[in-house]
Amino acid sequence: MEMAGKRVRCSCCGVQLVVPPNTYTVQCATCLTVIRFQTRNHLGQAHDSIRHTASRMKDLLNTVSSKVASGNAHHSQPVAPSLPVSAHRRKRAVLCGVSYYGNKYRLNGTVNDVKCMRYFLIQKLGFPSDSILLLSEEESDPCLIPKKQNIRRALHWLVQGCQSGDSLVFHFSGHGSQQLDFNGDEVDGYDEMLWPVDHETQGKISDDEINATIVTPLPQGTKLHAIIDACHSGTVLDLPFVCRMNSACDDNQVSEDTTALSGNTATGAMTYCFIEAVQNEPGLTYGRLLNAMRKKIRDTKTGVLLNGPIASLAKKIL
């Protein structure tokens, strides 16, 4: 049967018939043949209307999604830190200085610590500047503020793609603490914790997590040096061996920033003494490094005047 608007032809005799609206059967007046069909007027138009409405809804949703995405690009924080492009250099470092601005436990020397460490790594140890990721509350990039998730991402970046022969550095200057150990891997029954700037809402970073993130994944032949200038940080990497010496900072000890080492500039005692020891004696052993750091702290306590090269370095940078 051939459809033609509101008119159809009889499939038997060919006479043209007029089909009333909303009619599904019609009888030919000539040959009395009953013709059954669904008119385009009703169902076809309804189908077109549905397709048109669906198309408009799709366009509307796409428009709304584009506007939301555009708004988020201006108002939300990036989901990943602005990491240096040289993700696979032979030397790489993450330097994290947490000051805790606005809190009664604010630290004054942590930003100075990471600035001095960055300068030292670049100028004295040959680290490329774009292979150093520095996190502090003075950074304008929100992904470089030392919040918990930013520090986590930075630590993952530090070991990402590392190979035998690579030299990695993790430097943290800030607060540390202890909490009860719940998995039985601590001899003293306590886990060591580092405090990100948002630790009151997001929690602290445990030694178990640090070990799993930057120690366990290291391939053989990769070197990682961690300089942790914080309280209760003696075993914060959960390493299998520990060197016991009579100087800060063991798991049960606290440390503070001070101006006694560099004159009128606040720095962390451990960071300052580390840089000075390495700078004064290139190629020294780990044992001599620890002894030199301990001597520097003892000299400070006894009032020995400190005007070495690191004091000049701190003044030059800061």
Side-chain angles (χ1 to χ4, degrees):
M1 180 174 62
E2 181 181 349
M3 302 290 294
K6 294 183 179 180
R7 297 176 180 273
V8 298
R9 293 186 181 276
C10 176
S11 59
C12 183
C13 66
V15 174
Q16 191 175 64
L17 307 175
V18 177
V19 181
N22 301 325
T23 300
Y24 300 96
T25 61
V26 64
Q27 186 176 34
C28 178
T30 302
C31 64
L32 303 181
T33 299
V34 177
I35 303 170
R36 295 180 175 83
F37 57 90
Q38 294 182 349
T39 65
R40 173 73 179 177
N41 291 343
H42 177 64
L43 295 179
Q45 291 177 0
H47 181 66
D48 288 345
S49 178
I50 292 173
R51 285 195 302 177
H52 179 68
T53 301
S55 177
R56 285 182 58 83
M57 287 295 294
K58 182 179 180 180
D59 292 340
L60 178 61
L61 289 174
N62 289 337
T63 302
V64 171
S65 298
S66 298
K67 289 182 177 180
V68 170
S70 176
N72 287 342
H74 292 286
H75 300 292
S76 65
Q77 294 186 2
V79 296
S82 301
L83 301 179
V85 296
S86 55
H88 297 285
R89 285 195 184 270
R90 305 292 288 181
K91 294 182 177 181
R92 208 179 315 167
V94 168
L95 315 179
C96 183
V98 194
S99 301
Y100 314 96
Y101 291 151
N103 293 286
K104 61 182 180 181
Y105 48 82
R106 170 178 173 170
L107 294 173
N108 297 316
T110 54
V111 174
N112 296 338
D113 285 345
V114 292
K115 287 181 177 179
C116 284
M117 185 65 74
R118 184 178 188 275
Y119 181 90
F120 175 70
L121 292 177
I122 295 173
Q123 299 298 325
K124 304 299 182 181
L125 299 184
F127 276 66
S129 60
D130 62 353
S131 289
I132 298 177
L133 187 63
L134 190 151
L135 289 79
S136 80
E137 287 150 87
E138 293 188 352
E139 297 299 314
S140 59
D141 187 340
C143 287
L144 297 179
I145 303 299
K147 296 182 177 181
K148 184 174 184 178
Q149 291 304 320
N150 289 342
I151 295 175
R152 280 176 163 175
R153 286 192 286 262
L155 293 179
H156 281 286
W157 168 83
L158 180 64
V159 300
Q160 179 184 6
C162 63
Q163 303 172 3
S164 177
D166 288 357
S167 179
L168 313 178
V169 171
F170 172 46
H171 175 221
F172 180 89
S173 182
H175 280 306
S177 63
Q178 290 182 302
Q179 73 173 22
L180 286 175
D181 169 39
F182 296 105
N183 60 4
D185 66 341
E186 298 287 349
V187 175
D188 62 355
Y190 291 91
D191 281 321
E192 285 65 53
M193 319 292 291
L194 297 182
W195 293 19
V197 68
D198 57 349
H199 68 96
E200 291 185 352
T201 58
Q202 300 302 313
K204 303 172 179 63
I205 302 176
S206 72
D207 53 1
D208 293 341
E209 178 179 348
I210 295 172
N211 179 278
T213 304
I214 64 173
V215 177
T216 302
L218 293 180
Q220 186 174 4
T222 303
K223 292 183 179 179
L224 168 67
H225 291 90
I227 302 97
I228 311 299
D229 201 341
C231 301
H232 308 288
S233 57
T235 63
V236 76
L237 265 67
D238 267 354
L239 300 178
F241 303 102
V242 178
C243 177
R244 296 294 184 187
M245 300 185 71
N246 186 24
S247 63
C249 189
D250 284 337
D251 290 342
N252 63 337
Q253 294 178 314
V254 297
S255 62
E256 298 178 354
D257 49 20
T258 178
T259 59
L261 293 164
S262 58
N264 59 357
T265 301
T267 62
M270 192 268 192
T271 299
Y272 186 100
C273 294
F274 169 82
I275 295 176
E276 182 174 86
V278 176
Q279 183 165 273
N280 285 346
E281 187 179 347
L284 79 173
T285 64
Y286 292 118
R288 290 177 61 86
L289 169 64
L290 293 175
N291 284 327
M293 293 171 63
R294 179 171 60 175
K295 182 179 184 302
K296 178 60 66 176
I297 293 175
R298 285 178 173 176
D299 289 345
T300 306
K301 291 179 179 179
T302 56
V304 175
L305 183 63
L306 301 176
N307 288 312
I310 183 59
S312 301
L313 173 64
K315 293 175 183 177
K316 178 179 180 180
I317 300 173
L318 306 175

